[in-house]
Amino acid sequence: SDTAFAKASFYLGMAYLGAGRASEAMDSLQRTAKNNPRDAEVHYRLGRVYTMAGRTEDAEREYQLYRAARENERIVEQEAPACMDALRTQPVAQARNICARIGDPNDARRLILLGQLYAGAGVFAEAVEPLQQAAKLEPGSFEASHYLGLSLFGLRRYADALGPLKKAAELNPQFFDTVNLLAKTLYA
């Protein structure tokens, strides 16, 4: 459950699998899939374990999740550079059409990426909505809280920025940029 060790159960599952302990591998990989439902590699490995155990329906479900996650990654890899380029070279209204291809209202990682791209380009007003949605989908996301606070700060909405920045600082108290931004917000 500790975010610092998010992949620990995955690696434990792989170690169990390598040691020929399929039952323990399955337990660890199931836990990993529950904690990291968008990790393509987890679904692929769990699909393999299910196949080895003769659980073909479960294996096919995991392989479908694997393919969907890989497709999602491919879209992000292609669309993020196009969005960054559009934000640098085009008016915001035009860039928004290109960047919108990244956003998925049900995928916090894609929404966070979209918010990061907007915030990185200084288009803070565009960043707020996807980051708010990402924070709703994944309340424990440091990135969603940090970039939402950064964007609200950039809009000079200091009172609104306090909540997300406090949450980000609570989630990752060693991240200097968040702590510094929180201090600036409190000062403002």
Side-chain angles (χ1 to χ4, degrees):
S1 63
D2 187 339
T3 57
F5 300 104
K7 296 277 283 194
S9 59
F10 172 76
Y11 293 117
L12 181 60
M14 297 308 299
Y16 279 137
L17 190 59
R21 296 167 61 181
S23 177
E24 289 99 337
M26 188 181 301
D27 291 342
S28 290
L29 291 172
Q30 286 170 335
R31 184 172 41 258
T32 304
K34 180 183 173 201
N35 292 335
N36 301 305
R38 292 184 191 92
D39 190 330
E41 187 177 9
V42 171
H43 293 295
Y44 178 77
R45 300 296 181 173
L46 186 53
R48 289 193 57 206
V49 171
Y50 282 147
T51 299
M52 292 168 49
R55 295 173 57 177
T56 55
E57 287 181 27
D58 291 330
E60 185 54 37
R61 181 190 69 242
E62 292 301 321
Y63 288 136
Q64 286 176 350
L65 290 169
Y66 165 74
R67 288 188 293 274
R70 292 293 298 155
E71 177 63 14
N72 189 31
E73 290 170 5
R74 185 193 63 75
I75 290 169
V76 169
E77 288 171 3
Q78 290 177 347
E79 299 301 337
C83 175
M84 286 188 327
D85 185 51
L87 287 167
R88 281 194 304 266
T89 62
Q90 299 177 16
V92 174
Q94 288 176 310
R96 186 183 309 120
N97 294 330
I98 294 167
C99 295
R101 296 185 293 219
I102 294 172
D104 177 344
N106 299 310
D107 188 332
R109 287 193 304 180
R110 287 177 63 168
L111 291 168
I112 291 167
L113 174 62
L114 181 59
Q116 287 174 321
L117 291 169
Y118 281 137
V123 188
F124 299 116
E126 297 294 325
V128 171
E129 185 180 328
L131 291 168
Q132 285 175 329
Q133 178 64 18
K136 286 179 188 171
L137 292 172
E138 288 188 16
S141 170
F142 164 76
E143 291 83 7
S145 296
H146 173 78
Y147 284 100
L148 178 56
L150 171 71
S151 298
L152 292 167
F153 180 88
L155 293 169
R156 298 182 180 182
R157 292 172 50 188
Y158 305 120
D160 295 333
L162 275 176
L165 289 172
K166 285 179 179 179
K167 179 155 189 144
E170 178 183 304
L171 291 168
N172 189 353
Q174 286 89 21
F175 194 67
F176 177 77
D177 290 349
T178 299
V179 176
N180 187 38
L181 190 56
L182 177 57
K184 287 180 182 180
T185 303
L186 289 166
Y187 181 78

